[in-house]
Amino acid sequence: MTILAVIALYYATARLGLLEQLVRGQVTPLWPPTGISVAALLLFGARVWPGIAIGALTVNVTIGPTVPSLLAIVVGNTAAPLCSYVLLNRAGFHNDLDRLRDALALVFLGALSPMLISATIGSGALFLSGALPASGFWTTWSVWWTGDAMGVLVVTPFLLVVRWARWPPAVSPLIWAEAAALAACTLTVTFLVTNTTSSSLLFLVLPFLIWASFRFEHAGAAPCALGVSTLTILAADRMTGPFDHHDLLTNMVTLQAFNGTVSLTALLLTAVVTERNRTHEEIERLCAQLSDAVTDLQSGSRRAPPDA
């Protein structure tokens, strides 16, 4: 049942991702299935890899140029998440993302490094099959790597947060109002800066990610990062705002730098805040235990009979 769910999610999100394809009808700057694959492996283990492979096959079977290239792409799209899973396991990764080392591991061991595999195999397969000219190899490779890496950096943390999210039993209306204001401000500012020509204005969204990290930790930072990255990718696909009048490779570098900064800010800052809060709670718990121990000692000394 889990494998069927992975196949269904892979296929559905792949069709959504292909709506924003930039190269040859199959290469997109955000590939959610990769993030879903890594999250599924982290949550359910390596046993779900057939779901990833079948999902990749069902998506690419209608767009792959030749059978050998199709099989190579499926192998690359399966091997890259598996590599992420192995590296993260060896690094002692926690799915709760409650430590700074977990955030760093997800960025470098889960996203940036392993996705070189899928980008290289996929682009190489298209080139060798004749579907991709030599002049377009590096552009395709950059978009492929960007899409897979962003899928892990943006989608995986969101799914890891969603799986333990519960409706809070009692939350002040002010907290709900603050959450709504955060979401509205983040999306509004992102929309505005992605429709202006200056790329430097993109970073005006970072204060809202900081706000989300400090006030709501992963429950706020992960959805905000997903929303910001999605709106920015849509602007890059339309080649509007800061992505206007630039070639595809330049836009991919800008997009990768920005989305990487967004993801790093959300992941690393939230991990630091979570560690701080956990340390604070542990100190409070130890202080309470010490206070109880001192009270017990004082009560015992008062009850003790005087020496003869």
Side-chain angles (χ1 to χ4, degrees):
M1 191 65 182
T2 303
I3 292 177
L4 292 177
V6 171
I7 295 172
L9 285 173
Y10 194 107
Y11 183 82
T13 56
R15 302 313 302 181
L16 289 175
L18 289 173
L19 294 177
E20 303 302 324
Q21 56 80 24
L22 296 180
V23 180
R24 211 197 155 271
Q26 66 186 102
V27 186
T28 171
L30 176 62
W31 191 240
T34 305
I36 289 174
S37 300
V38 173
L41 289 167
L42 290 173
L43 294 174
F44 303 107
R47 64 185 178 88
V48 301
W49 76 265
I52 299 171
I54 296 172
L57 179 63
T58 56
V59 171
N60 287 281
V61 69
T62 58
I63 55 179
T66 63
V67 173
S69 65
L70 167 66
L71 295 178
I73 291 171
V74 171
V75 169
N77 287 357
T78 305
L82 281 172
C83 181
S84 297
Y85 171 69
V86 171
L87 292 176
L88 290 172
N89 265 354
R90 291 187 176 182
F93 179 79
H94 286 181
N95 290 342
D96 291 336
L97 286 168
D98 56 353
R99 303 174 301 174
L100 180 60
R101 60 179 291 186
D102 297 324
L104 291 172
L106 185 63
V107 172
F108 294 103
L109 300 180
L112 300 184
S113 300
M115 296 310 125
L116 297 172
I117 298 173
S118 55
T120 303
I121 292 177
S123 301
L126 293 178
F127 170 70
L128 293 175
S129 68
L132 182 68
S135 59
F137 177 83
W138 288 112
T139 299
T140 302
W141 185 93
S142 68
V143 178
W144 202 307
W145 181 62
T146 299
D148 282 350
M150 286 301 102
V152 177
L153 290 177
V154 175
V155 177
T156 299
F158 178 77
L159 293 177
L160 292 179
V161 169
V162 167
R163 56 111 187 173
W164 52 255
R166 299 291 185 274
W167 191 265
V171 177
S172 167
L174 291 178
I175 298 297
W176 286 115
E178 182 182 1
L182 171 63
C185 291
T186 302
L187 295 177
T188 300
V189 172
T190 304
F191 177 79
L192 291 175
V193 300
T194 53
N195 284 277
T196 58
T197 56
S198 176
S199 59
S200 60
L201 293 179
L202 285 172
F203 295 93
L204 288 177
V205 304
L206 294 183
F208 299 99
L209 292 173
I210 296 172
W211 177 9
S213 299
F214 272 97
R215 293 291 294 154
F216 301 99
E217 298 183 21
H218 285 297
C224 284
L226 178 62
V228 169
S229 296
T230 301
L231 289 178
T232 308
I233 288 169
L234 291 174
D237 177 57
R238 298 191 307 268
M239 299 188 73
T240 58
F243 304 100
D244 192 15
H245 303 304
H246 297 292
D247 59 65
L248 183 59
L249 184 59
T250 301
N251 282 342
M252 286 305 99
V253 172
T254 303
L255 183 65
Q256 181 76 317
F258 175 72
N259 280 344
T261 302
V262 167
S263 300
L264 281 171
T265 300
L267 284 172
L268 300 183
L269 186 57
T270 303
V272 171
V273 172
T274 301
E275 279 190 334
R276 183 205 65 177
N277 292 341
R278 189 174 63 246
T279 302
H280 180 71
E281 292 172 358
E282 183 66 15
I283 291 173
E284 286 187 335
R285 185 183 66 83
L286 291 175
C287 288
Q289 289 181 347
L290 180 60
S291 176
D292 292 341
V294 170
T295 301
D296 291 342
L297 287 174
Q298 290 176 344
S299 299
S301 63
R302 286 194 295 266
R303 291 194 300 267
D307 293 336

